[in-house]
Amino acid sequence: MFSSVGLKPRYILALILLFGLGVRLFLFGGMGGFDSFLYAHSSRVIVGGNFEVANISNPYEFRFLITLPTALSFLILGVNDIAAVLWPLVCSLASIVLVFYLGKLILDDKTALLAAFLFSFFPLEINYATRLFPDVVSAFFMILSVFIFLKAEQIKNNFLRILALFASGLAVGAGFLVKEVSAVLLLFFAVYVTYKRKYEKAFFLPFVAAALFGLCFWIFLYFSTGDFLFQLRIHAHFAREYMAVTPEFVIQKHNLLVYPKGMFGFNLYGLSSFGFFYYFVLFSALMIIIKKLRKAYVLLFWFFTVFLYLEFGAWSLTQHFIPKCFRYLTVLTAPAVLILSFFLNNCLANSKANFRGRNISFSFLRTLIVVFLLATSIYGSYRMRLYNQDEEVKYQLVYDYIKGLPLKPVYCTGVNWPLRLNYYSKYKTGPSYQNPLSGFLLFSQEENRKSLFKNIFRVKEYRELDDTYVIIDESDLFFLGPQGSKVSRFKEIPEFIKRPPGKWELLYTFGKVRLYRVLF
């Protein structure tokens, strides 16, 4: 497809990188979503010098290769959206380069360039390359690990090959410090080694390196906390808390149809996340299997090993299901575009049909497919950007209103509001404290005392609310249940939250959000 351009592959790759950067900046996401504000909060705590491993109370804070680079960005650029998303953006662009070199290693230059181009506008990549979530960064380390592992196969020098295989395991370990699911890549390595019958000792080095990385990390936790299994205990506790506050009908949504329906666009959220890519990826995978194109089998092993874990895997040692979220599938994007590119370049473009005595090439169809995917992906990502912006409007409007009021403590329903309001205020409203989560949805008493923005569920005495502001957001209190019924997120909601006293002065409303001034 790029053969007619007349440029060397590295120059075409540079143009693809510029295109990918342009698309990501044009559809800039910025801060949004509970997780991103939690990572920002943890990063700000690190900048403030108040972070202690022993005080970690939720799994997010173990993801040091998200929080540490973000903390560095905050230190250099200050607290703002550009600094917050700089690390995911860099990793997304670096992944484009890795996809090219991986495609070149396994397949050929032309297929590699097409894969890099498809990767540059894949909807999930665009949607999360400029948002503070771990998925794009996790995918980068997984692609890096696969590239080093497969590159090691072709290295003749025994010492360098051993070094490369060990490095691939370390990359898995680095990915683990972004998101724990990265460790599933070891299962892919096991499948590949078995298929290729590479049973020599060197090919077990990735497993050894990943195990040593994990051992060193757990030893670090032991010296920091006195508990060798500290991380596992926090994960187990968090999973129990999640189950305790999540209604049964929400858990049922994590069934086996969630991902297939999303990947094939059976709902608008899925269509904005994947476009129409997976229709073509599935067909490409089937053709690779039917035609026995063994050159591409490694891509199928990679894709399906990771997908099957995400579909059927366990979240923790105690909870035997894994929550499903479309952005978790970001780790499948690289093998998916490589599978599709291989089919488009090596099967479709080389096919011909006889029509009225003329041989007609299908290469034009390849171009049509790519243009179709490009147009639908950009539009879908644009719609997703609008949706994400709309989700944050209520928080920004209420904060802008509060800024004009006399300074007083602000009590909020849940942790969504304090996390966001602290971020909008550039964390200037009080000391940087660790552990915004005590359990799944509650600030601890100590954090509540220190912050200007507080969790109302930590109020012990009603009188504590005297001369304060109170934000009540119904979407923090209730889920929309089956048949439109309202289902409480909490076992018990205080009466003064459900029905605020008449003497509370209503200052501002927006949708389901109400801001009160409380005076007794």
Side-chain angles (χ1 to χ4, degrees), residues 99-302:
V99 165
F100 167 74
Y101 282 105
L102 187 55
K104 183 178 179 180
L105 179 69
I106 303 172
L107 307 169
D108 57 75
D109 282 7
K110 293 178 182 178
T111 303
L113 285 170
L114 179 56
F117 183 58
L118 293 174
F119 191 93
S120 72
F121 64 81
F122 195 95
L124 267 185
E125 277 293 318
I126 296 174
N127 296 345
Y128 290 99
T130 54
R131 301 187 72 194
L132 186 53
F133 286 92
D135 306 276
V136 166
V137 182
S138 173
F140 163 73
F141 281 106
M142 291 177 79
I143 301 167
L144 177 63
S145 180
V146 172
F147 173 73
I148 297 172
F149 179 80
L150 296 177
K151 182 70 174 176
E153 265 193 305
Q154 300 182 7
I155 297 176
K156 305 281 187 180
N157 185 288
N158 194 48
F159 175 75
L160 292 178
R161 183 170 64 163
I162 288 173
L163 203 62
L165 288 168
F166 194 82
S168 70
L170 293 180
V172 172
F176 184 81
L177 293 185
V178 178
K179 198 170 184 182
E180 298 74 12
V181 73
S182 300
V184 74
L185 206 56
L186 295 174
L187 183 58
F188 158 64
F189 290 162
V191 171
Y192 183 75
V193 166
T194 303
Y195 171 73
K196 299 283 281 190
R197 297 184 179 181
K198 292 183 176 293
Y199 298 127
E200 55 261 41
K201 293 178 182 178
F203 281 92
F204 290 93
L205 281 173
F207 306 94
V208 174
L212 286 175
F213 189 100
L215 181 62
C216 291
F217 179 62
W218 287 324
I219 290 173
F220 163 74
L221 292 180
Y222 175 77
F223 282 108
S224 301
T225 68
D227 185 356
F228 188 74
L229 300 177
F230 182 64
Q231 185 186 28
L232 297 179
R233 296 188 202 284
I234 294 297
H235 270 271
H237 174 72
F238 191 79
R240 286 194 299 271
E241 292 289 337
Y242 176 85
M243 296 289 288
V245 301
T246 307
E248 184 180 350
F249 77 87
V250 174
I251 295 171
Q252 288 173 353
K253 288 183 179 179
H254 300 312
N255 61 45
L256 300 182
L257 293 177
V258 171
Y259 283 152
K261 283 184 176 180
M263 293 165 80
F264 292 100
F266 283 84
N267 54 65
L268 290 177
Y269 196 81
L271 201 57
S272 297
S273 299
F274 306 102
F276 294 94
F277 263 91
Y278 278 107
Y279 284 97
F280 297 101
V281 172
L282 178 61
F283 183 78
S284 301
L286 290 174
M287 293 305 295
I288 288 170
I289 295 169
I290 292 169
K291 291 179 174 289
K292 297 181 180 180
L293 303 172
R294 299 181 186 277
K295 192 177 183 180
Y297 278 9
V298 59
L299 301 172
L300 299 183
F301 294 148
W302 179 9

Side-chain angles (χ1 to χ4, degrees), residues 20 34 45 63 78 193 220 229-230 353 358 454 457 499 512:
F34 169 79
V45 170
R63 295 171 176 176
V193 166
F220 163 74
L229 300 177
F230 182 64
R358 294 182 179 180
K454 307 173 185 288
F457 285 96
R499 281 177 279 276
K512 296 181 179 180

Side-chain angles (χ1 to χ4, degrees), residues 2 5-18 97 100-101 104 109-110 112-113 116:
F2 293 98
V5 176
L7 294 175
K8 292 182 178 180
R10 63 174 179 270
Y11 297 131
I12 299 175
L13 178 61
L15 292 174
I16 291 172
L17 265 178
L18 287 174
V97 177
F100 167 74
Y101 282 105
K104 183 178 179 180
D109 282 7
K110 293 178 182 178
L113 285 170

Side-chain angles (χ1 to χ4, degrees), residues 411 448 455-462 464-465 496:
Y411 284 86
N448 227 39
N455 189 327
I456 200 169
F457 285 96
R458 284 297 183 183
V459 171
K460 287 187 173 180
E461 296 291 336
Y462 179 61
E464 289 180 41
L465 298 177
F496 65 84

Side-chain angles (χ1 to χ4, degrees), residues 20-21 24-25 28-31 35-36 39-40 43 65-71 73-74 80-96 119 124-141 178 330:
L21 176 62
R24 283 154 177 74
L25 294 180
F28 187 85
M31 292 294 288
D35 293 18
S36 62
Y39 292 123
S43 301
L65 284 183
I66 281 291
T67 55
L68 287 174
T70 306
S73 291
F74 283 166
N80 56 71
D81 281 18
I82 294 175
V85 305
L86 184 59
W87 176 232
L89 175 59
V90 168
C91 288
S92 180
L93 294 174
S95 294
I96 295 174
F119 191 93
L124 267 185
E125 277 293 318
I126 296 174
N127 296 345
Y128 290 99
T130 54
R131 301 187 72 194
L132 186 53
F133 286 92
D135 306 276
V136 166
V137 182
S138 173
F140 163 73
F141 281 106
V178 178
T330 306

Side-chain angles (χ1 to χ4, degrees), residues 31 37 40 79-81 419-427:
M31 292 294 288
F37 288 99
V79 177
N80 56 71
D81 281 18
L419 283 173
R420 284 169 165 85
L421 296 178
N422 273 307
Y423 175 83
Y424 295 147
S425 70
K426 312 294 183 186
Y427 303 101

